[in-house]
Amino acid sequence: MVHCTAPLACGHVEEVVAPTLDWKPDDGPRLAEAARVKQMIEEFEQAWASDQMLQPEAERERTRRMLAAGWPRPRPERSCHTCPHARAIVAYQRVGWLIPRKEAPKSEDPPPARAVLERRLRQAEAEAERLRAQLARHEERRDA
């Protein structure tokens, strides 16, 4: 996998996974084949029809927009774990080697940097908040 940094419109930076090993940030997002997108649309629509609680309507609309755009990879928008709203990715930048030059001897890994831990914590908190909101919506529907 190739990891890239992706500066968002809000100014924050997130990591994304490139679609293939030969992908370069200048290439922009890659689109899925039209037949695959058509199949995905059918699968999503069937899943949503069979389970109304599968995905909130706002997320369904976002999924429909991504399908209409050809299911681009990396995604052209991403939720910022610092800001409360989804932001558009404004650029891509490669980080690190595609394939390590040579196997380094195994050693004790140093603890992650503080910035890495803070970013992971923000991501986990954002995910927890999203799950709390989903659970609250589920409870409201059950009580109604």
Side-chain angles (χ1 to χ4, degrees):
M1 272 192 267
V2 179
H3 288 269
C4 301
T5 58
L8 306 178
C10 61
H12 296 110
V13 176
E14 291 292 325
E15 287 184 10
V16 297
V17 176
T20 61
L21 288 176
D22 64 338
W23 181 84
K24 296 182 292 299
D26 293 340
D27 296 341
R30 290 207 175 156
L31 303 179
E33 294 179 12
R36 176 65 181 131
V37 172
K38 184 178 178 183
Q39 178 187 2
M40 291 170 65
I41 290 170
E42 292 171 4
E43 290 171 359
F44 274 110
E45 293 297 339
Q46 287 175 0
W48 291 329
S50 66
D51 184 1
Q52 295 295 319
M53 299 297 291
L54 183 65
Q55 197 177 27
E57 189 58 37
E59 290 181 30
R60 287 182 190 192
E61 287 305 314
R62 183 169 182 266
T63 301
R64 285 184 178 110
R65 283 194 317 269
M66 291 290 290
L67 287 165
W71 204 253
R73 290 289 180 242
R75 293 178 299 174
E77 65 180 40
R78 185 172 181 91
S79 294
C80 178
H81 295 288
T82 305
C83 298
H85 306 291
R87 304 294 181 171
I89 294 174
V90 294
Y92 296 100
Q93 179 180 354
R94 185 180 299 279
V95 289
W97 292 92
L98 293 176
I99 301 170
R101 289 184 178 185
K102 57 185 169 182
E103 186 69 27
K106 303 274 186 211
S107 65
E108 227 178 89
D109 292 335
R114 180 178 180 88
V116 171
L117 292 173
E118 289 173 343
R119 179 180 48 81
R120 287 182 189 165
L121 179 59
R122 285 193 311 270
Q123 290 173 339
E125 289 172 341
E127 177 66 11
E129 187 59 34
R130 186 185 67 76
L131 291 172
R132 282 188 195 96
Q134 275 186 333
L135 185 58
R137 286 191 300 271
H138 180 65
E139 293 295 324
E140 289 172 5
R141 289 179 185 147
R142 191 183 74 181
D143 293 339

